[in-house]
Every structure is written in C-alpha cells, then in structure tokens.
C-alpha cells in the first residue's frame, strides 16, 4: 500500500527554461479554491543561468517545493523525480507554461470522489503564448476512454488530468522517451490496469500554444507516435 496523505494533491511540474511563464503557472495554483496541495517543481537542468529557478524562489509558500536536477532528463525524467517525492492521495500534472482556473482542483477532486472514477481529465482551452487570448473553442472530448480508444486518439492532456492513488498504484514515466509523447505512453500503461479514464466537463485548463515547443516539430512527432505504438505491443483482442 502506498503511503499517502489523504486529501492532499501532489502537483507535478517539470520545468525547462521556464522563467517566462512559470510565474503565471504558480499564481494559478495559489488561487485554487482547494488549498490542500503541494507543488513539486523540477528544474530539468535548464541552460538559463538559473532564471526559472529564481522565479520559483520568489514564492515563499511552503507548499511549493523546488528540486534542481543536475542532469537533463526531459519531461519524463523530471516528472519521475517529482513523483518519487509526491506525498498526496491525488496526482495532478501541470506543465510550467499552463494555467488552471481557480476551481480546477476542487472540481476534479469532487468528480473523483463522487463517482467511481480513477483518472479524471478536463477540457483544454488553447491560448496565445504571449497575449493569453483564447484560440478557438476547446475540442469536444469523449465521456470516457479505455486502452483501445487511446490507441486511436489521445484526448488526455497532462495539465488537465488528476488521478486518485487510493484507487490505483503510482505510475512512473518511461524515461527512454525523453520529452516525446512520454505522457501518451504513461496513460496507455495506466489504462492496461485501470478500465477507463473519465472526462470531467466542468473544467478546462489554459494551454499555451508555443511556437518553439518540442511537439511543434511535426516530423519528430510522427516518429515518436510510431515509437509509442511499438512500445505498446499488447495484443488487442
């Protein structure tokens, strides 16, 4: 049985060259109506002379924990460092350039508690990286997905997802993937054990569309998708 603090949410935040946006991300957590959380930010050996680390250090809230990784491991390795430190009943992911609406955690915890739900994913409102203006409406998402559904399309965005450790084990990322589709493989691994991930229509997170982000490179993304499906060679009956 996992040792965990009941009701506590562990927020897993990998950061790489995060100085420009991580302040907004932290502010969105500090404004949450649900206050029983710890935020574990792992700086992934950013080559920015400590700029992102310095932004995080401005926040004196004891619930915010900063870990400075001396090795660059990609988002998978940075998330694993945070997961090993996590003490909470709930695991929530929040990338260092995304933001939550104030009621996000409260809505997700209620959704997980009131229903027979293990993994809850919300909607995603895309915003411009600089102006924060909304870009298009959130995509419609299925009410629930299982392993087979996920092989076709992945509606689960890490920054919009929380899961309940009182109903499943703690999962770790495949570090061989670095920062490429590591979250997709993570959900596939979980859904080999958990029957469904469920959509909570009550929340949409704010997702910055960044031009220089890793997933912006289409050829790399297609290759990494092939790697994902190769890694998921579980027979589909």
């Amino acid at each position: 049985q996992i040792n965990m603090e009941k009701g506590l949410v562990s927020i897993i935040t990998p950061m790489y060259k995060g100085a420009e946006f991580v302040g907004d991300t932290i502010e969105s957590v500090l404004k949450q109506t649900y206050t029983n959380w710890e935020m574990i930010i792992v700086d992934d050996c950013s080559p920015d002379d400590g700029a992102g680390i310095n932004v995080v250090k401005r926040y004196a809230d004891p619930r915010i924990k900063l870990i400075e990784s001396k090795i660059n491991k990609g988002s998978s390795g940075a998330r694993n460092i945070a997961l090993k430190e996590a003490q909470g009943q709930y695991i929530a992911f929040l990338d260092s350039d995304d933001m939550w609406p104030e009621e996000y955690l409260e809505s997700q915890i209620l959704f997980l508690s009131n229903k027979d739900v293990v993994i809850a994913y919300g909607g995603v409102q895309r915003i411009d990286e600089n102006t924060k203006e909304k870009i298009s409406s959130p995509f419609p998402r299925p009410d629930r997905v299982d392993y087979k559904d996920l092989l076709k399309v992945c509606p689960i965005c890490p920054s919009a997802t929380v899961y309940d450790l009182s109903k499943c084990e703690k999962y770790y990322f495949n570090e061989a993937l670095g920062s490429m589709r590591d979250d997709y493989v993570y959900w596939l691994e979980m859904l080999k054990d958990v029957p469904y991930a469920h959509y909570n229509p009550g929340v949409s997170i704010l997702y910055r569309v960044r031009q220089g982000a890793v997933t912006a490179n289409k050829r790399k993304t297609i290759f990494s998708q092939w790697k994902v499906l190769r890694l998921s060679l579980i027979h589909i009956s």
Side-chain angles (χ1 to χ4, degrees), residues 154 177 179-186 215 221 224-225 228:
C154 182
L177 292 163
S179 296
M180 269 295 185
R181 304 313 299 269
D182 53 315
D183 53 301
Y184 186 19
V185 171
Y186 190 78
T215 46
T221 305
S224 64
Q225 178 74 4
V228 163

Side-chain angles (χ1 to χ4, degrees), residues 116-150:
D116 186 22
V117 173
V118 183
I119 307 165
Y121 58 93
V124 175
Q125 174 62 65
R126 291 148 62 90
I127 58 169
D128 182 271
E129 68 175 309
N130 298 313
T131 66
K132 299 188 209 170
E133 285 178 12
K134 293 178 179 178
I135 303 169
S136 69
S137 300
F139 299 123
R141 288 170 198 266
D143 288 341
R144 64 180 195 179
V145 287
D146 63 11
Y147 179 83
K148 284 185 188 178
D149 297 326
L150 209 60

Side-chain angles (χ1 to χ4, degrees), residues 100-116:
W100 286 339
E102 291 176 19
E103 72 287 352
Y104 175 78
L105 283 180
E106 186 174 2
S107 176
Q108 289 284 57
I109 303 310
L110 277 170
F111 188 78
L112 287 162
S113 306
N114 293 345
K115 300 173 187 290
D116 186 22

Side-chain angles (χ1 to χ4, degrees), residues 70-91:
K70 301 302 176 203
I71 306 161
N72 176 258
K73 294 183 161 196
S75 56
S76 53
R79 284 174 175 145
N80 281 347
I81 290 168
L83 281 162
K84 282 171 188 147
E85 295 295 316
Q87 303 294 312
Q89 174 183 347
Y90 301 101
I91 299 292

Side-chain angles (χ1 to χ4, degrees), residues 32 34 37 46 52 64 102 119 131 135 152 166 187 204 215 226:
Q32 291 299 301
Y34 187 94
W37 51 261
S46 299
I64 299 168
E102 291 176 19
I119 307 165
T131 66
I135 303 169
K152 295 174 202 142
S166 69
W187 312 128
S204 282
T215 46
W226 173 80

